[in-house]
Amino acid sequence: MNIAVCVKHIPDPNLPGELDGQRLKREGVQGTLDPGDEFGVETALQLKQAHEGEVTLVSMGPPQALEGIRRGLSMGADKGVLVSDDSLQGADALITARVLAAAIKRTDFDLVIAGVESTDGYTGTMPSTLAELLGVPQLTFTNAIEATGDALKVHRQTVDGYQVVECSLPALITVTAGVNEPRYASFKGIMAAKKKPVEELSVADLGLSADDVKVAQNIVDISQAEERKAGEVIEDDGSGAAKIADYLKEAKVI
Amino acid sequence: MDLDLSQEQRDFVRVMRGFVDDAIRPNAERWDEEHALPMDAVKQMAELGLFGLPFPEEYGGSGADFLTLCLAIEEIAKVDSSLAITLEAAVGLGAMPVYRFGTDEQRAKWLPPLATGDALAGFGLTEPGGGSDAGATRTTARLEDGEWLVNGSKSFITNSGTDITSFVTVTALTGSEDDRKEISAIIVPTGTEGFDVGKGYRKMGWWHSDTHELSFNDCRVPQGNLLGERGQGFKNFLKILDDGRIAIAALAVGLAQGCVDESIRYAQERSAFGRAIGSFQGLQFKIADMAMKTELARQAYYRAAWLKEKNRPYKKEAAMAKLYASEIAVDVARDAVQVHGGYGYIEEFPVCRHFRDSKILEIGEGTSEVMRILIARELGLPEA
């Protein structure tokens, strides 16, 4: 089974983000492979162990996005594709999907894996758009994946449990954080990654036109996210348990 | 001049930080209270390939350089000195003598399980009557019917009593010539009749590292277990200790850096007289000094490791790095406890454990006094 995994190199989410105009500053800041994408890479590596095939990491970003690909390669992926082009600066989720679709179509894929959403932009719309552009079924929010020959059986996480869904391949899945425990790259893996092929492509290499990558989205305004509110303290006057139960019901946890 | 780590080393350090944060930091205090080497953690370290870092891939290793091993030791020591010394001793003292002085046959037999971390080995030099004093060696090995008959005892031997310990290499008197004692190194496998492992020591620090006193009573091992040339045992072990000193310096730097990090965090969180204590110049000066000493010690061990990698003389630099790093580690740990005030004296705060763990660094693998003697000799001063 050949698997393409979408990976994104993002500003380190553990450091305070900086703004560049109305966009997140990406140049000259400490970057990292999106932690959400490590689950996708691990999923692909586990499927590969069971079903053979190749794992290709596909990324769009500035040249330093190579670091994110290298991280995935050192975990054990086989090769990488990086689409890097000045014209892609400020690309929105739609353009990203278009570019990744064009890059993935060039590979012989049975399955595409993406995280549910990126840990920087958080739009969460890219994977679904990508599946549409590739013309393959999409199974989102999966947290257990089983492949059987040319079909896939997954658990889709829902608010109150999970659905068991099957589909044929090729397909696209998004994996939730916690679907597995991503492996650590060993030093041997890091050294091996140096020798693995990474294809670097421009927009023109993909056969896309300037219009295809023209940003249609317009950011009107940005503002600081609301501070997380302090927790609610319930004084136990004998009705504490009931109050907590009510709260959990309201949150639809029980 | 290039003072940068390689891209691969930097990537590896990032992986190590993630591993230490996830797998070690949350458990270090509990493991220490349990006073036992956590074999689950050893297994996780093995899966990461740490025990085989400097050995070639044909023996199950990673083919990394010596500095990369030191970087791993430093990262672990920031949080957990017991596990850091477990790794340092396993690779530097347990496996390295076999790799450096073993025959192809010995390497093929003993090295692969050590490199993969499926087994651990000990290094038995120190005896109840002495360590760096070769002449004080009392353990004997006599050839008898094609076997070595080993008798004697060894002290403070790390990784010698775990469930996966496969052997201990011991130095023993194998004869004497013209009043010169002939000391050789011999591999004694775990389970050999007459090889007894004493119960773990009650130590000031390194509570969850595995350290035992060993005794050998008419232990018979095959003649082929002689490691390196007959009569070269002590000399070869001293070479092993030169490398070990760089690794101990890395461990000391890790401990000191852990103390600096904890102190910065605490000084920002804790307030007194209406302001963060980190805003008081008295504390700022203290923490600035702690960070400076740590950084200088790091440069010292980087350089010693670099000299070794370049096949240039590094004995003096290794001794200086070990001496300086271990002494500043004790200073920095003591100052970190001071920064923490009363909380620094209780086990819930890591600096308390770091302080207990620091003192041994001035003693193990050659005391500070022995380091100064070595440096003086390298400077050309006459032997006593």
Side-chain angles (χ1 to χ4, degrees), chain B residues 140-173:
Chain B
T140 59
R142 189 157 46 88
L143 258 187
E144 205 180 275
D145 305 330
E147 289 180 317
W148 292 105
L149 193 63
V150 183
N151 278 289
S153 52
K154 295 288 175 181
S155 302
F156 314 126
I157 310 305
T158 304
N159 293 337
S160 60
T162 74
D163 291 344
I164 59 170
T165 300
S166 57
F167 67 89
V168 175
T169 309
V170 299
T171 46
L173 283 169

Side-chain angles (χ1 to χ4, degrees), chain B residues 126-364:
Chain B
T126 301
E127 300 193 354
S132 298
D133 178 6
T137 303
R138 295 273 174 274
T139 299
T140 59
R142 189 157 46 88
L143 258 187
E144 205 180 275
D145 305 330
E147 289 180 317
W148 292 105
L149 193 63
V150 183
N151 278 289
S153 52
K154 295 288 175 181
S155 302
F156 314 126
I157 310 305
T158 304
N159 293 337
S160 60
T162 74
D163 291 344
I164 59 170
T165 300
S166 57
F167 67 89
V168 175
T169 309
V170 299
T171 46
L173 283 169
T174 46
S176 55
E177 212 175 303
D178 308 333
D179 287 345
R180 283 190 57 151
K181 288 178 173 175
E182 179 194 90
I183 298 174
S184 308
I186 292 167
I187 295 172
V188 183
T190 307
T192 302
E193 210 183 320
F195 173 12
D196 290 317
V197 179
K199 66 174 191 171
Y201 290 99
R202 293 174 62 227
K203 295 170 287 190
M204 176 192 281
W206 285 1
W207 283 354
H208 56 287
S209 77
D210 182 82
T211 327
H212 300 269
E213 174 135 351
L214 310 176
S215 64
F216 306 90
N217 286 306
D218 288 339
C219 278
R220 288 179 176 276
V221 301
Q223 188 170 359
N225 281 20
L226 174 73
L227 185 64
E229 242 177 278
R230 185 170 174 166
Q232 297 296 308
F234 205 83
K235 214 171 123 190
N236 285 346
F237 267 33
L238 290 184
K239 284 184 198 155
I240 288 294
L241 287 177
D242 280 340
D243 294 355
R245 281 172 195 135
I246 306 176
I248 293 290
L251 203 164
V253 167
L255 180 142
Q257 187 64 55
C259 289
V260 171
D261 295 344
E262 292 292 337
S263 297
I264 293 171
R265 184 177 21 247
Y266 187 79
Q268 284 170 333
E269 282 170 4
R270 171 78 176 183
S271 58
F273 309 106
R275 49 200 265 220
I277 58 170
S279 67
F280 291 107
Q281 209 172 49
L283 234 69
Q284 290 185 349
F285 282 7
K286 195 183 277 299
I287 294 175
D289 284 350
M290 291 159 66
M292 173 185 67
K293 290 172 186 168
T294 304
E295 188 55 41
L296 292 175
R298 179 178 290 118
Q299 297 308 324
Y301 97 69
Y302 275 17
R303 180 165 150 76
W306 179 83
L307 286 169
K308 171 181 156 55
E309 215 50 53
K310 297 279 176 200
N311 289 315
R312 285 163 56 178
Y314 62 96
K315 200 181 175 73
K316 181 181 70 183
E317 286 77 6
M320 285 178 169
K322 196 270 184 186
L323 171 62
Y324 182 70
S326 59
E327 293 195 342
I328 68 101
V330 177
D331 290 346
V332 168
R334 187 186 56 239
D335 284 345
V337 169
Q338 195 66 24
V339 167
H340 281 68
Y343 289 111
Y345 199 67
I346 60 174
E347 290 286 343
E348 281 81 353
F349 285 75
V351 294
C352 175
R353 176 164 42 88
H354 291 330
F355 191 27
R356 287 193 287 97
D357 286 344
S358 68
K359 182 60 203 173
I360 187 62
L361 298 167
E362 294 180 320
I363 300 169

